Amino acid sequence: MDTYTLRRLSGLAAVAAGPLCIIGGLLHPIEDGQGHNVDALVGPHAFGSSALLLGTVLLLLGLPGAYGWIAPRLGALGLVGFVLYFVGNVLSAIPHLVIMGFAASDMAHHHPDMISEKDVIIGAPAFEAEQIASGLGLVAGLLVFGIALLRGRAVPRWIGWTGVAGAVLQLVPLPATPMLTGLQIELLRGAMLIGLGLLAIRSVPSQTALAPAAV
């Protein structure tokens, strides 16, 4: 596979990740101010959890390629932000969403005593600590990456601002509310992913430009 095809596929994955994450966030259950207590987990959330999981997988597949072609212009700050954001999604979002989508409902039905009181599904101290730490790393990575996009001037400034604003908004202690909390967490970072993906796709030369000149 050539470099341009890989970049195009990465861009497509990033573009698809944005709407899926936003849809998953909108459909995420909220009960009594929490999204992962027993009442929230026993309710219907399979479609939303699956959309968010698929969107996060596509994010992880698309982000390296979408970042890679502008990496030289983002410098060390961009690398730090990318690594923190990527690893944060691997360690925070993926385990969380796999458990949420495939095990949380059964646990809430049959073993409600296992559900965490800290809104992270499983009430195991080590898992709670890992989810909190990796979640903070994810937000920090999004913030640093957004700042790097602004400083590097490699993309339109609105893309960098969506990353910065999306990270800051996640730290605002708003009451957990159905749909609105999903928008708070997913909307702006989803817009950043869509923007990066579209730019990666547009940066690929056309097939006519790539074709060898006739002799």
Side-chain angles (χ1 to χ4, degrees), residues 55 157 162 170 209 212:
R157 293 182 65 81
T162 55
Q170 289 190 42

Side-chain angles (χ1 to χ4, degrees), residues 44-91:
H45 59 80
F47 182 80
S49 296
S50 298
L52 198 48
L53 177 59
L54 178 57
T56 304
V57 170
L58 289 173
L59 180 158
L60 294 173
L61 290 173
L63 188 60
Y67 157 74
W69 74 280
I70 56 173
R73 286 173 280 177
L74 302 186
L77 191 67
L79 177 62
V80 171
F82 166 75
V83 170
L84 279 174
Y85 187 56
F86 188 90
V87 173
N89 274 282
V90 170
L91 296 181

Side-chain angles (χ1 to χ4, degrees), residues 63-141:
L63 188 60
Y67 157 74
W69 74 280
I70 56 173
R73 286 173 280 177
L74 302 186
L77 191 67
L79 177 62
V80 171
F82 166 75
V83 170
L84 279 174
Y85 187 56
F86 188 90
V87 173
N89 274 282
V90 170
L91 296 181
S92 175
I94 292 296
H96 170 97
L97 291 169
V98 169
I99 295 171
M100 181 83 179
F102 298 102
S105 292
D106 287 340
M107 289 172 55
H109 275 292
H110 304 298
H111 304 284
D113 56 305
M114 295 181 63
I115 303 302
S116 171
E117 296 180 357
K118 297 181 179 179
D119 208 11
V120 294
I121 306 181
I122 298 177
F127 184 77
E128 291 172 338
E130 185 275 336
Q131 285 288 286
I132 293 171
S134 58
L136 289 174
L138 184 156
V139 175

